[in-house]
Amino acid sequence: MLALYTGRAQAVDMNAFRNLNRPVAQAFDKEIIKVEKFVITGGKPLHGEVTISGAKNAAVGILPATILAADVCVIENLPDISDVAVSLKILSTLGAQVKMLNRNTYEIDTTHLTGTNVPDDLSRQMRASYYFLGALLSRFGRAQVAMPGGCNLGPRPIDQHLKVFSALGAEDSVDYGMITVRAKELNGAHIFFDKVSVGATMNGMLSAVMAKGQTILENCAKEPHVVDLANFLNMCGADVRGAGTDVIKVRGVEKLHGCTYSIIPDQIEAGSYMVAAATGGDVLIKNVTPKHLEPITAKLRRAGAEVEEFDDAVRVRRTGDILPLKINTMPHPGFPTDMQPLMGVLLSVAKGTSTVTESVWDNRFRYVDELRKMGASVQVDGQVAVFEGVEKLSPAPLRALDLRAGAAMVVAALMADGTSEIEEIGHIERGYENIVEKLRGLGADISKVDRVPAALEQAL
Ligand code: EPU
């Protein structure tokens, strides 16, 4: 039962309410992202242990890749987040049998999957729906997906994805926001990406695994999730070599088969808890791959945090001042753009002036306006933000403008003495499993509150 508490402390069973007052219930459903919020009382250093979940950006590539197996796959260490729920829903809508084995493990049987059109409303809910283009094209020679949604980080073209499909022999068309790709057959090709793109590199592998002959992808993205997708495809019988370097070679095979695969730990979720710990505290962050965290570890050490590395954990501590930094976001192994808003929050209270250059996305400083509400001093000029460290942040009403901007606001609220509220937290829940419970486990004062919209309150 979805129970909500009104201002009169009255529990409402939404399912029963839906039958009584359909229009208001529908309005409520549409508004749900706006009415839930986090209430955080900051100023308490974090202490203890936190376990990192599976990587979102690997999961959203590997789930569509199960289509290629035309068989049963068991995927372990799937993060319990809304982007994964949407991917699973798309798979079952297309005809896959999806069975939950436990909260983080799903059995997916794509043997009888026949659908090639991803429903509009589902594909618009996340950026990564573009991986269904590559996977469906590869298996069926046809796919239709709505122009993907996801975070608003500036223009998010997919020309490099279409470049691969076209080089392999597919035709594409875009009509009323729907992208259709079709091919009679796919033949291996040599593609040089004009821009390093995670999505285009992963779609390149997905579309080439069963093409005739060899495909060479050059100027590839090298992120850990690119390697994870290649490892999954190889476990299913594909021949993909070189993932994690600039050049990936894919030799097409006749068919793939199912496998059991465990997703790598989430680099950015781990990095987010590392920054939260570096604001002051002592946290052991478990189930991580320290190698994937090196660009983050290096910057945090320069900022004055102590980072101790173990086989599959890192411990982050800070007691002294936060030191200013120069950061320039770059594709892996450079400093990840997804960590930029989180580091920005840390640098807003550094002892001195920091410079942050965003080189991947055109519009990733929107969170700065929220941070200014808390007293931060930041000047943004195009792709460069200059942070003049202030003594401390003050609590404020905040918005999660996108996934990582939202996570950054959580860390900012944890740093401020007093109570902040963060709205539009649906963005945060797209990528962070159990964030409230995990932070509470570290001693944070955070709760998730459902506020009933006025229209619903009046109708009750
Ligand atoms: N680009 C093009 N043409 C393309 C594709 C990309 O010009 O066809 C440009 C983009 O505009 C951008 C740059 O290339 O300037 C990099 O984009 P990329 O394709 O690498 O991004 P993406 O695959 O759409 C993934 C992550 C993002 C992360 C970026 C960069 C997923 C689902 N998303 O996006 O993650 O910021 O790589 O590392 O994997 C997040 O998790 O919060 C998030 C936004």
Side-chain angles (χ1 to χ4, degrees), residues 97-163:
Q97 299 293 317
V98 176
K99 198 161 121 197
M100 182 178 174
L101 302 184
N102 63 48
R103 182 179 180 168
N104 302 106
T105 306
Y106 282 79
E107 183 187 273
I108 300 157
D109 182 354
T110 57
T111 316
H112 303 296
L113 182 148
T114 50
T116 56
N117 291 6
V118 175
D120 205 355
D121 55 326
L122 292 177
S123 47
R124 288 187 205 282
Q125 284 180 35
M126 60 168 191
R127 173 82 183 154
S129 49
Y130 50 43
Y131 292 129
F132 284 93
L133 279 176
L136 291 167
L137 175 69
S138 192
R139 175 155 166 201
F140 298 110
R142 188 182 186 286
Q144 191 179 67
V145 173
M147 243 8 211
C151 294
N152 176 8
L153 311 174
R156 297 187 75 168
I158 59 159
D159 56 303
Q160 299 302 305
H161 303 234
L162 299 179
K163 180 175 175 170

Side-chain angles (χ1 to χ4, degrees), residues 381-448:
D381 184 6
Q383 294 307 99
V384 181
V386 178
F387 290 76
E388 294 291 347
V390 294
E391 192 66 28
K392 54 197 218 162
L393 297 177
S394 324
L398 302 166
R399 287 170 65 205
L401 294 169
D402 61 58
L403 168 58
R404 307 302 171 189
M409 288 310 108
V410 170
V411 174
L414 290 171
M415 287 162 70
D417 284 335
T419 302
S420 301
E421 294 190 351
I422 305 176
E423 295 202 327
E424 298 180 45
I425 57 172
H427 289 296
I428 302 173
E429 292 174 335
R430 282 187 41 229
Y432 289 86
E433 176 172 327
N434 257 346
I435 186 167
V436 170
E437 291 75 9
K438 287 188 186 186
L439 283 171
R440 275 198 192 151
L442 295 174
D445 183 345
I446 172 171
S447 49
K448 180 174 163 181

Side-chain angles (χ1 to χ4, degrees), residues 56-58 60-61 83 127-131 151 153-163 193-202 221 223 225 266 268 330-332 336-338 359-362 364 402-405 430-432:
K56 167 180 91 80
N57 290 346
V60 294
D83 272 14
R127 173 82 183 154
S129 49
Y130 50 43
Y131 292 129
C151 294
L153 311 174
R156 297 187 75 168
I158 59 159
D159 56 303
Q160 299 302 305
H161 303 234
L162 299 179
K163 180 175 175 170
F193 291 115
D194 306 311
K195 181 117 196 174
V196 177
S197 159
V198 170
T201 303
M202 289 178 42
E223 269 67 2
H225 28 288
D266 196 302
I268 305 300
M330 301 286 269
H332 193 78
T337 169
D338 296 341
S359 306
V360 178
W361 298 113
D362 288 349
R364 213 170 197 174
D402 61 58
L403 168 58
R404 307 302 171 189
R430 282 187 41 229
Y432 289 86

Side-chain angles (χ1 to χ4, degrees), residues 190-192 201 215-222 241-250:
H190 193 146
I191 296 117
F192 190 97
T201 303
T215 297
I216 301 177
L217 305 169
E218 289 204 58
N219 197 24
C220 292
K222 297 177 277 203
R241 295 169 199 212
T245 73
D246 297 312
V247 183
I248 298 179
K249 292 184 180 163
V250 185

